[in-house]
C-alpha cells in the first residue's frame, strides 16, 4: 500500500511552520535546548491529545479483533511524556467498556519515557493504576528491550497487541543517527502485532536544529551526517515492510500538524 499524499501537497499549513511554532511557544516557559530529546514539560498544551485521537476510531481494538475477554489486551506507548496522550488514548479505545461497566476490564497499557520527571507526573495523574503503568525507560538502550520482554512474560505474551509511537522517531534519529532510527523501527516491530506510528517530517528536523542554533546551542550531533532524509514516513514504511515483516494496514489521515498517523500490522 502506497502512502497517500498529505494536506501539505494541497496547500495547507506547512509542517515546518507548525513545528517552529511549538519551539517558540515552549521557549517562553522552558528553554527547548533543555529538552533535546523532545521531553518538553508542557508538550500537550501545544499539541493536545485530541489532535491524534480525532483521527483514530474509538472502535480500533474491535476492528483489529482484539477482545479483552477473557485474555488480556496489551498496549504500549513509546515516549509517553507526561502520560496525557497515553491516558486519553486508553479512554478513547475503551469508551464502551468504561460506560457499560465503569471499569476498563482486561486491557493493560504500559507507557515509558526517558525523562523521570515526566514519568513521575504521569504516575501521579494516572486514573487507572491497576491497568496503566508508567516507567522510566530509554528505548535506545539495549537493556530496555529486556525490560519490555519481562513485562510481556507476566502475561504470557511475546508481543504487545498494539504499540503506539507518536512523534518519537525524529528525536532518536537526531540524537543517535541513522542506525538508531532504523533500530527503533525494527525493535518496535519485533515487540508489536500492530504498530500505530506518527513520524515527524524532515522539515521538523530542520526546525529543531535551527532553534538550537538560534539559542547559541551546539547542533544535534548527527544532524549534518544523516543519510536518511526527505520523506521520513516513506523511509519508515519501506524499512518496516522490507525488513521487519510489517505491512501498512491503514492511514488514518493527518493531524493539524500535517503529520500522518499510520497503522502497520505484522504479516
Amino acid at each position: 500500500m502506497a502512502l497517500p499524499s498529505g494536506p501539505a501537497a494541497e496547500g495547507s499549513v506547512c509542517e515546518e511552520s507548525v513545528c517552529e511554532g511549538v519551539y517558540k511557544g515552549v521557549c517562553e516557559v522552558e528553554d527547548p535546548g533543555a529538552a533535546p530529546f523532545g521531553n518538553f514539560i508542557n508538550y500537550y498544551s501545544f499539541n493536545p491529545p485530541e489532535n491524534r485521537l480525532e483521527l483514530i476510531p474509538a472502535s480500533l481494538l474491535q476492528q483489529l479483533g482484539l477482545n479483552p475477554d477473557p485474555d488480556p489486551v496489551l498496549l504500549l506507548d513509546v515516549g509517553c511524556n507526561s502520560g496525557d496522550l497515553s491516558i486519553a488514548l486508553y479512554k478513547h479505545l475503551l469508551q464502551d467498556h468504561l460506560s457499560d461497566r465503569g471499569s476498563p476490564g482486561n486491557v493493560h497499557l504500559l507507557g515509558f519515557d526517558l525523562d523521570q520527571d515526566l514519568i513521575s507526573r504521569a504516575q501521579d495523574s494516572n486514573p487507572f493504576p491497576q491497568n496503566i503503568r508508567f516507567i522510566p525507560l530509554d528505548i535506545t538502550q539495549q537493556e530496555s528491550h529486556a525490560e519490555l520482554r519481562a513485562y510481556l512474560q507476566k502475561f504470557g505474551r511475546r508481543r504487545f497487541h498494539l504499540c503506539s509511537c507518536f512523534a518519537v522517531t525524529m528525536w532518536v534519529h537526531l540524537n543517535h543517527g541513522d542506525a538508531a532510527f532504523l533500530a527503533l523501527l525494527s525493535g518496535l516491530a519485533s515487540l508489536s502485532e500492530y504498530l500505530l506510528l506518527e513520524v515527524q517530517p524532515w522539515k521538523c528536523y530542520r526546525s529543531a536544529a535551527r532553534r538550537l542554533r538560534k539559542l547559541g546551542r551546539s547542533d544535534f550531533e548527527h544532524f549534518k551526517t544523516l543519510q536518511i532524509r526527505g520523506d521520513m514516513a516513506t523511509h519508515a514504511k519501506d524499512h518496516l515492510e522490507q525488513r521487519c515483516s510489517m505491512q501498512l494496514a491503514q492511514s488514518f489521515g493527518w493531524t493539524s500538524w500535517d503529520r500522518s498517523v499510520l497503522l502497520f500490522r505484522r504479516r
Side-chain angles (χ1 to χ4, degrees):
M1 180 188 295
L3 291 178
S5 57
E10 301 171 5
S12 64
V13 176
C14 172
E15 61 264 30
E16 183 174 17
S17 63
V18 179
C19 292
E20 182 75 2
V22 73
Y23 292 104
K24 290 178 180 177
V26 172
C27 191
E28 296 174 1
V29 293
E30 179 76 4
D31 180 349
F37 302 100
N39 50 326
F40 297 108
I41 61 170
N42 293 315
Y43 178 77
Y44 294 110
S45 66
F46 300 99
N47 192 10
E50 295 76 26
N51 284 355
R52 281 87 170 222
L53 297 185
E54 65 185 8
L55 300 176
I56 301 169
S59 60
L60 179 61
L61 295 184
Q62 290 84 353
Q63 291 179 23
L64 300 181
L66 300 178
N67 183 0
D69 298 319
D71 296 325
V73 169
L74 303 184
L75 313 178
L76 178 68
D77 190 28
V78 177
C80 65
N81 197 272
S82 57
D84 298 45
L85 179 56
S86 309
I87 294 168
L89 177 64
Y90 188 83
K91 291 179 177 178
H92 180 69
L93 297 178
L94 295 174
Q95 291 179 29
D96 292 340
H97 275 268
L98 294 173
S99 60
D100 294 344
R101 307 182 185 187
S103 69
N106 206 10
V107 179
H108 300 265
L109 183 146
L110 177 66
F112 68 84
D113 196 279
L114 55 71
D115 190 309
Q116 176 64 70
D117 291 338
L118 291 173
I119 287 298
S120 295
R121 288 174 55 189
Q123 292 168 341
D124 291 343
S125 61
N126 184 0
F128 304 110
Q130 299 300 316
N131 294 73
I132 299 179
R133 183 182 173 200
F134 293 107
I135 62 171
L137 197 70
D138 183 349
I139 192 63
T140 65
Q141 300 301 309
Q142 187 173 2
E143 59 268 20
S144 67
H145 286 265
E147 189 163 350
L148 295 174
R149 296 286 184 193
Y151 177 88
L152 288 168
Q153 288 174 5
K154 294 179 182 178
F155 296 90
R157 293 281 307 174
R158 294 180 57 200
R159 300 185 183 94
F160 291 90
H161 294 90
L162 175 64
C163 169
S164 57
C165 181
F166 296 106
V168 172
T169 53
M170 178 183 76
W171 301 110
V172 171
H173 201 186
L174 283 173
N175 285 286
H176 300 282
D178 289 332
F181 171 76
L182 299 177
L184 170 67
L185 296 172
S186 297
L188 296 182
S190 72
L191 290 167
S192 312
E193 297 292 344
Y194 290 91
L195 173 60
L196 191 59
L197 184 66
E198 178 195 45
V199 176
Q200 292 106 317
W202 182 252
K203 288 184 178 181
C204 286
Y205 285 64
R206 297 205 304 257
S207 293
R210 182 169 59 250
R211 287 300 298 171
L212 283 189
R213 290 194 296 270
K214 285 182 178 179
L215 290 164
R217 301 296 185 99
S218 299
D219 207 343
F220 290 100
E221 179 181 355
H222 295 274
F223 177 62
K224 293 181 180 178
T225 60
L226 295 178
Q227 297 298 307
I228 301 174
R229 296 170 174 247
D231 188 340
M232 300 309 298
T234 295
H235 285 307
K237 171 183 175 292
D238 290 346
H239 181 74
L240 288 168
E241 292 190 331
Q242 296 171 14
R243 302 286 183 178
C244 304
S245 299
M246 300 291 278
Q247 181 176 345
L248 180 64
Q250 189 170 353
S251 171
F252 291 121
W254 291 264
T255 71
S256 59
W257 288 28
D258 288 349
R259 298 175 183 176
S260 58
V261 177
L262 306 173
L263 179 69
F264 294 86
R265 65 174 176 84
R266 177 164 295 280
R267 285 202 297 265

